[in-house]
Amino acid sequence: MATHEVTNQAPPLIGYDVFSADAALVEAVQRYGGRSHLDELAMLGRMAGSGQAQQWATEADRNPPVLQTYDRYGNRIDEVGFHPSWHRLVTAAVENGLHAAPWREPAGAAGHLLRAAKFYVWSQVEAGHGCPISMTYAAVPALRADDDLAAEWEPLLTARHYDPGLRPASSKAGVLAGMGMTEKQGGSDVRANTTKAEPVIGGYLLTGHKWFCSAPMSDVFLVLAQAPEGLTCFVVPRVMPDGTRNVFRLQRLKDKLGNRSNASAEVEFDATWARRLGDEGRGISTIIEMVSATRLDCMLGSAALMRRAIAEATHHCTYRRAFGMVLSDAPLMRNVLADMAVESEAATMLAMRVAAAVDRSADAGGPQANTDAAAETGTEGEFLRLAVALGKYWVCKRGPTLAAEALECLGGNGYVEESGLPRLYREAPLNSIWEGSGNVNTLDVLRALRRSPAVLDAYLAEIGLASGADGRFDTAVKDLLQSLADLDGMEARARRLAERMALVLQGSLLLRHGNPAVADAFCASRLDQDWGHAFGTLPRGVDSAAIVARATPEIPD
Ligand SMILES: Cc1cc2nc3c(=O)[nH]c(=O)nc-3n(C[C@H](O)[C@H](O)[C@H](O)COP(=O)(O)OP(=O)(O)OC[C@H]3O[C@@H](n4cnc5c(N)ncnc54)[C@H](O)[C@@H]3O)c2cc1C
């Protein structure tokens, strides 16, 4: 006999369509040319919202990867064992083309947009396995620096088959890629890399280490090392064509705050076989093609994380009652939820606008999202050059604050692992750290601005499209222009400047394309600064009820 009846608990948020329930995302896909892909996205959305996918996510997170340095006989094998649910998550991602589809099947003019929307939807299930997926997507444009290497690897990287296990690439139906830049003495300043590359007949031998090398069971890595002419990018396979193992010693796996389903290793190279990608001494400009694409995914990942958090929070507050009312009807809770929903929508709109710019600039020869070559590929390339750095900084920065507040909306239940919110909370800081930590990205904003006046022109043209739509926005633009004209102490002000530029860009997008209630609340709080330092401080007069209703996912009865 039960001793008590369970009441006033929200049902689990499962059995819904993660894509179709996200109005800002659906509108963005339609706006940027993805209308014909709505059914495909809804199918993935239903899969992402299923109890099955949630179970895979929990199992992959709760059963972290295990390093297997030696086999039973004492032979060094340097493998990592994963829970079957990790493999199921990666399989779903690869079969849906999240890892590289736009490079192989352009999907009309919206291939990168479609892939971005899918990545955003599927990341909401579990973020850790997105790491090798992103790196594989990002490796392809960098590999195109060398026709032979691209011809060898691209068909396998873009295949829709996940074929785990260390075997020669030629015997596999599909492969994944990773990246090795960070060393003990520096990750932001990779010019300080000490790994040496010695030229030999037909390639190079690398000796040194990498301090963070994620997804070490991937098949191929883009690695930086010092060649005779300077820092150079190399292609390092884990298994040699004849089936023997390349030297790729996994010293340890990192015991990480979040992202626990994914393995991040410390690696030692000792006469490790490598092939050069791009010219000697041009390592950074070669690998930046990969970095730029992963920066886009950091932004998408953080926008997705915020969306998942707000979906959980609004869902819970729709069912939970306190002091005689449903929580989402309590004026103060409604303010908290609406404020977070505004943040989440603004993040989604910015991330999808940037993804659309990848498609548009791809016409000019590739995504080049963060390279200075982008500044020469027409207005969208110039816009992209700046928008990736701005968006990576700002959207990723907002994740941890929002995740903490969303967790609190569930009260004590939100602090308990089973709710899924602790996983989001632990994951949230990561996207701001890797692929250029916060400061590094804002310094990159300054770099892009200094490199070419056309970059600023492209940004101003984009925000100018909302000119006159709202007085608060117009004033914010005027203030921003004054900040941009003041060159004194620019480096120390880089975060402040990047934040304002990102907010004005988000405001412009919301005013032109967003929900009117969301756009109004954004202008009042983020641009007019009638706002506090915590979520839940939207000013009087905003339509919080409409904003919360729009953000709340409906689950079938
Ligand atoms: C889970 C995880 C997985 C990772 N996976 C990989 C991987 O697969 N491959 C890989 O190569 N790397 C990987 N990294 C490493 C990551 O990219 C680096 O940690 C990151 O680039 C920062 O480098 P760092 O740790 O050496 O910090 P540092 O470079 O020492 O930076 C420390 C702080 O100083 C700031 N800073 C640096 N320079 C300046 C400056 N001039 N002005 C102001 N502030 C500055 C940075 O923003 C940062 O906040 C991973 C990291 C994590 C946490």
Side-chain angles (χ1 to χ4, degrees), residues 179 181-182 186-188 212 214 256 430 433-435 437 439:
M179 162 198 285
M181 298 194 297
T182 306
S188 306
F212 276 95
S214 292
K256 295 175 289 184
L430 179 55
I433 294 174
W434 61 11
E435 302 299 350
S437 305
N439 288 353

Side-chain angles (χ1 to χ4, degrees), residues 158-207:
T158 56
R160 289 195 186 221
H161 298 285
Y162 173 49
D163 190 353
L166 294 183
R167 298 195 311 283
S170 59
S171 74
K172 298 188 83 170
V175 299
L176 296 177
M179 162 198 285
M181 298 194 297
T182 306
E183 297 187 0
K184 294 186 184 84
Q185 67 282 359
S188 306
D189 186 3
V190 290
R191 289 168 305 180
N193 272 193
T194 58
T195 298
K196 288 267 175 299
E198 183 198 343
V200 291
I201 294 168
Y204 290 75
L205 296 179
L206 308 190
T207 301

Side-chain angles (χ1 to χ4, degrees), residues 22-46:
D22 188 339
L25 179 64
V26 174
E27 289 160 11
V29 169
Q30 291 175 326
R31 181 162 62 250
Y32 298 125
R35 199 175 284 275
S36 59
H37 301 290
L38 295 180
D39 289 345
E40 192 181 343
L41 283 160
M43 210 185 308
L44 186 66
R46 285 192 293 276

Side-chain angles (χ1 to χ4, degrees), residues 367-387:
Q368 299 176 327
N370 208 36
T371 66
D372 290 315
E376 288 146 29
T377 57
T379 310
E380 280 297 302
E382 289 148 358
F383 171 73
L384 192 57
R385 172 68 185 89
L386 192 60

